Amino acid sequence: MHEEKIFQDKLDREIKIEPQDWMPDAYRKTLIRQISQHAHSEIVGMLPEGNWITRAPSLKRKAALLAKVQDEAGHGLYLYAATETLGVTRESTIEDLNSGKAKYSSIFNYPTLTWADIGAIGWLVDGAAIMNQVMLCRTSYGPYARAMVRICKEESFHQRQGFEILLTLSRGTVAQKEMCQDAINRWWWPSLMMFGPKDDDSPHSKQSMDWKIKRKSNDELRQQFVDICAEQVKVLGMKIPDAELKWNEKKQHYDFGQIDWEEFWNVVKGNGPCNRDRLEARKKAHEDGDWVRKAAMAHAKKSKHKKQQTKVG
Ligand SMILES: [Fe+2]
Ligand SMILES: [Fe+2]
């Protein structure tokens, strides 16, 4: 009881919970699930964009995309490290992804069909991720919050490079304009789904808010995202594919249409256009990396042995 009080007191006074602190089991479990899912999303998220590195239209675009995809790998690594502070091993966390037990963000189960998709992902997918991650900079678990501060700085570069790709296309030929609009059409709704189910259908949300893991609800974040994008799309001279999108003077927010929740759950359950491909690619990468892990372990063992010998000598 005493420990629970200290924990609650820290939450109340906005003091971060650190790995060595006592925490309720359910808090720990929620964080392990959330941070590892987040890590998996960063890593799987490299796949749809990695698909375009060899086909980027210029050296400048290629360098930026390469840097962006590398950033995502870094985000995954910080987050796997943050998960480890909660007492689970990296091996078991990665095994959960490869076996299909763990989830990752469904957005990465959609294909990247044209170069404009790289722009739309940066603008919309990284944009939606930022909304969520800015909130997480203030999350109650210390290592997660600190990882987020660094990640957010890189994410804003991702978002801008995406928007700039679309801006260039939007000022290009008729075919480029059409390609730009087509990518926005395909990525808009899945991006709105990134915020998760409606608040009424999100049973864990309330507890996460009480624990200050989350600071804003799914619907609140989604509304914020719609409001920003509805303005930014005007700069592109493009359209958001939603006939019901309309400024509501009374609410001081944009109204928007219904999300296709059937599609959302279908992709979550593994039936999206690329679920199988993504998992196969991750498993193959893990297997192909086996010799690297073994070599690193052998090297570490050798160095340790050498150090001990010099100490003895
Ligand atoms: Fe990221
Ligand atoms: Fe990103």
Side-chain angles (χ1 to χ4, degrees):
M1 191 61 216
H2 179 59
E3 285 166 321
E4 240 177 290
K5 239 179 135 183
I6 298 175
F7 173 79
Q8 189 56 49
D9 182 57
K10 281 194 175 160
L11 288 186
D12 294 344
R13 294 196 295 144
E14 297 290 337
I15 297 172
K16 298 278 178 243
I17 307 300
E18 296 298 337
Q20 68 279 9
D21 292 347
W22 183 90
M23 59 189 89
D25 264 353
Y27 176 86
R28 185 185 299 273
K29 268 195 199 133
T30 300
L31 279 171
I32 291 173
R33 197 191 61 230
Q34 185 175 331
I35 305 175
S36 63
Q37 270 183 20
H38 193 162
H40 300 327
S41 303
E42 301 283 356
I43 298 295
V44 177
M46 296 166 74
L47 296 169
E49 289 177 289
N51 184 33
W52 279 91
I53 290 173
T54 53
R55 292 174 289 166
S58 71
L59 182 61
K60 182 186 128 191
R61 295 293 188 204
K62 191 185 186 112
L65 181 59
L66 201 57
K68 191 221 178 218
V69 172
Q70 274 181 347
D71 283 352
E72 306 300 7
H75 298 172
L77 295 184
Y78 304 154
L79 291 167
Y80 281 129
T83 316
E84 284 181 300
T85 66
L86 290 157
V88 287
T89 64
R90 175 139 355 166
E91 289 74 17
S92 74
T93 307
I94 290 173
E95 177 47 35
D96 285 349
L97 171 66
N98 291 347
S99 69
K101 192 178 148 204
K103 296 261 179 283
Y104 55 85
S105 178
S106 278
I107 192 78
F108 303 118
N109 291 317
Y110 290 86
T112 40
L113 304 179
T114 70
W115 170 251
D117 288 21
I118 301 306
I121 289 180
W123 177 43
L124 296 172
V125 177
D126 289 277
I130 292 172
M131 214 112 265
N132 199 35
Q133 289 171 345
V134 164
M135 161 188 86
L136 289 172
C137 290
R138 294 189 298 124
T139 195
S140 57
Y141 186 57
Y144 194 22
R146 290 188 289 270
M148 279 304 131
V149 172
R150 178 140 177 208
I151 288 175
C152 279
K153 285 185 190 152
E154 294 174 346
E155 290 301 349
S156 56
F157 153 69
H158 299 171
Q159 204 247 2
R160 270 177 286 164
Q161 68 90 37
F163 191 80
E164 212 253 321
I165 288 173
L166 294 184
L167 192 61
T168 305
L169 291 172
S170 75
R171 291 170 177 169
T173 63
V174 173
Q176 284 173 320
K177 283 179 186 160
E178 280 172 4
M179 194 165 88
C180 180
Q181 184 62 59
D182 168 65
I184 296 170
N185 292 350
R186 281 180 292 106
W187 289 94
W188 174 251
W189 292 103
S191 298
L192 290 194
M193 294 177 197
M194 282 175 72
F195 297 96
K198 278 202 236 168
D199 292 346
D200 304 340
D201 302 325
S202 181
H204 301 302
S205 274
K206 160 118 186 35
Q207 179 63 78
S208 283
M209 298 273 265
D210 288 347
W211 278 330
K212 297 186 176 175
I213 293 175
K214 281 177 78 151
R215 303 281 183 154
K216 286 180 181 177
S217 78
N218 296 356
D219 287 334
E220 237 178 300
L221 288 168
R222 188 165 15 239
Q223 181 69 60
Q224 209 181 330
F225 179 70
V226 170
D227 289 348
I228 289 178
C229 293
E231 290 301 319
Q232 289 177 338
V233 79
K234 293 179 189 168
V235 180
L236 295 174
M238 294 284 140
K239 283 215 160 53
I240 282 179
D242 179 355
E244 289 171 55
L245 186 81
K246 210 176 152 226
W247 176 250
N248 184 325
E249 188 60 36
K250 220 164 142 194
K251 283 202 234 156
Q252 290 289 303
H253 285 298
Y254 275 89
D255 288 332
F256 56 99
Q258 264 295 325
I259 290 171
D260 182 351
W261 293 110
E262 207 179 301
E263 176 183 328
F264 172 81
W265 289 115
N266 200 34
V267 184
V268 170
K269 283 180 193 141
N271 304 317
C274 300
N275 294 59
R276 243 156 256 138
D277 286 1
R278 300 298 184 231
L279 210 56
E280 281 312 309
R282 279 314 312 154
K283 277 198 257 183
K284 187 176 180 303
H286 191 71
E287 280 157 23
D288 291 350
D290 188 46
W291 70 272
V292 181
R293 289 189 297 278
K294 280 186 180 144
M297 292 300 276
H299 180 72
K301 211 170 150 190
K302 239 185 180 168
S303 316
K304 201 174 155 198
H305 186 67
K306 239 189 206 160
K307 246 190 214 159
Q308 273 167 351
Q309 270 189 336
T310 38
K311 255 189 210 158
V312 173

